[in-house]
Amino acid sequence: MARSTRSPARLVIALSVAGLLAVFLVYTALSGSTPELEPSNLAGHSGTVSLTGKVTSVVAGTDSHTAQGLQFKIHNINGKSPIVPIVFHGSVPDLFKAGRDVNITGQLEGTSFVATALTTKCPSKYTSAA
């Protein structure tokens, strides 16, 4: 009977390489699922996106826990851009107000962006040291 002279190390190396490739494919598939945009490049996108901008105004009398939701408007952080109306239902961060930079996740529905998550950027990180 002939005995195989192949080393089991070859099999281990091949399986390790295949495993690494599988992990890489899963990582790239999951990490690129939500596009990150600014108001100036939101037009034409559908589905869930992450939107970053500066709050220009908050509509008086709106509340995130009512049927109409919290309503506000944002534009690009740097420079002028189209103003995007936002509707948000959920917990509002303590630092939220006009002039703050925000990250929101949601989707464009008609002319308004309906947000499902809202976070504010810490203003101290963006001011110069005295």
Side-chain angles (χ1 to χ4, degrees), residues 5 10 20 22 27 42 44 47 52 58 63 66-67 81 88 97 118 120-121 126:
T5 59
R10 292 173 111 184
L20 286 173
Y27 172 77
L42 177 62
T52 300
V58 180
D63 185 346
T66 63
S81 72
F88 176 68
K97 66 179 184 177
L118 168 66
T120 57
K121 292 185 175 184
Y126 302 101

Side-chain angles (χ1 to χ4, degrees), residues 63-129:
D63 185 346
S64 66
H65 299 292
T66 63
Q68 67 185 16
L70 175 66
Q71 298 176 23
F72 59 99
K73 297 176 181 181
I74 67 170
H75 64 73
N76 284 5
I77 293 173
N78 296 318
K80 298 294 180 191
S81 72
I83 294 178
V84 177
I86 310 294
V87 176
F88 176 68
H89 296 89
S91 296
V92 178
D94 291 337
L95 295 176
F96 177 82
K97 66 179 184 177
R100 296 279 191 208
D101 296 347
V102 294
N103 291 322
I104 53 180
T105 303
Q107 58 188 9
L108 193 58
E109 293 183 12
T111 59
S112 295
F113 188 87
V114 178
T116 56
L118 168 66
T119 57
T120 57
K121 292 185 175 184
C122 181
S124 65
K125 291 183 179 182
Y126 302 101
T127 56
S128 60

